[in-house]
Amino acid sequence: MENFTTDYPGKSVQWHGFECLEFTLDGLRCYMVKPPSGANADRNWYWRVHFFGAFPDADFAMLKLGWHVVHIEVHELYGNNECMRRMDLLYNFMISLGFNKKCVPVGYSRGGLDVYRWASLNPEKVSCLYLDNPVCDIKSWPGGKGIGPGGVQEWQNCLNAWHFTEEDAMKFAGNPVDDLQTLADNHIPILHLCADADELVPAAENTAILEKRYRALGGHIEVIWKPGAKHHPHCLSDPAPIVDFIHKFHK
């Protein structure tokens, strides 16, 4: 492919009964799951930014509707500049293949850090966002500076990824809860699926704050609460509400 170092389409494997292309892009592992009946007319794509393959019920539903599901590795980057570079790389590659110029980024758990920052930097490239028990503030997770336990190794990994001291991290103003103005100004609809008993990423420090702030900015956000649920499992066994939200706002 012109301007890309890639072995696309790479290797074809079976993924839950769907064809999945495993390939590299500038040396980074990528996955593209193909819809069984071929791409829909708009060549839409559903971007599993983190934890590709985990709790894939919504992925299955989108595939059956003619959407592609894609991923590029962003492990242990916590939304930093290298993460943004990789996301830009995959986006530009997908556009070079003729896919829709607007995508739906999906962030499970720590993927919230990746999705929110990239969408804030590229609001014209997204139609809506779907977040699932997302991390919205590094002080909450992995920092564990509030009511949640955090993660000792993950906190150090996060500091390393951003080249932060702990003092830097505590002053960081680029968390999703802090950086919503651009999304609101561009009228980006947001869906959160949130467990109200999440023991790892407490809703009170993440979704609840972000929801309140986004509404105050005039943004459209819908939250599907899962009463009594923990951090896992993600998604819904019947993902119809997620699919309906995407279809309503993906234009």
Side-chain angles (χ1 to χ4, degrees), residues 83-246:
C83 180
M84 298 300 98
R85 185 191 72 81
R86 295 183 186 190
M87 292 180 71
D88 286 343
L89 178 65
L90 181 61
Y91 177 85
N92 291 332
F93 182 69
M94 293 296 291
I95 299 312
S96 79
L97 295 177
F99 281 88
N100 197 308
K101 292 183 178 179
K102 290 200 173 186
C103 61
V104 177
V106 178
Y108 282 22
S109 193
R110 72 182 69 179
L113 300 173
D114 311 321
V115 165
Y116 268 110
R117 185 163 185 238
W118 191 82
S120 293
L121 293 170
N122 301 278
E124 75 284 357
K125 298 174 183 176
V126 303
S127 58
C128 60
L129 308 180
Y130 161 40
L131 291 304
D132 199 305
N133 289 340
V135 175
C136 302
D137 188 338
I138 61 172
K139 295 188 296 294
S140 174
W141 191 95
K145 305 305 181 182
I147 60 175
V152 174
Q153 186 58 59
E154 291 88 350
W155 182 231
Q156 189 58 55
N157 292 345
C158 180
L159 297 179
N160 293 343
W162 278 96
H163 304 291
F164 279 168
T165 64
E166 186 151 328
E167 183 180 3
D168 293 332
M170 296 302 290
K171 296 178 180 178
F172 181 50
N175 290 291
V177 293
D178 304 314
D179 190 20
L180 296 167
Q181 187 70 59
T182 299
L183 295 175
D185 289 347
N186 284 272
H187 311 291
I188 304 299
I190 298 172
L191 173 66
H192 275 217
L193 189 61
C194 189
D196 69 0
D198 192 321
E199 77 286 13
L200 297 178
V201 183
E205 298 176 347
N206 293 275
T207 288
I209 294 173
L210 189 143
E211 177 189 18
K212 182 178 179 180
R213 291 181 179 178
Y214 202 56
R215 291 190 194 283
L217 292 170
H220 180 92
I221 182 169
E222 298 179 18
V223 180
I224 300 174
W225 291 97
K226 298 168 69 175
K230 302 292 188 180
H231 189 65
H232 292 135
H234 291 281
C235 202
L236 298 169
S237 56
D238 177 4
I242 300 166
V243 174
D244 290 346
F245 177 89
I246 292 172

Side-chain angles (χ1 to χ4, degrees), residues 57-79:
D57 292 284
D59 305 49
F60 298 160
M62 301 308 292
L63 286 163
K64 291 173 183 176
L65 292 171
W67 289 57
H68 282 67
V69 174
V70 303
H71 171 79
I72 187 169
E73 59 179 317
V74 292
H75 186 59
E76 297 296 343
L77 296 179
Y78 301 89

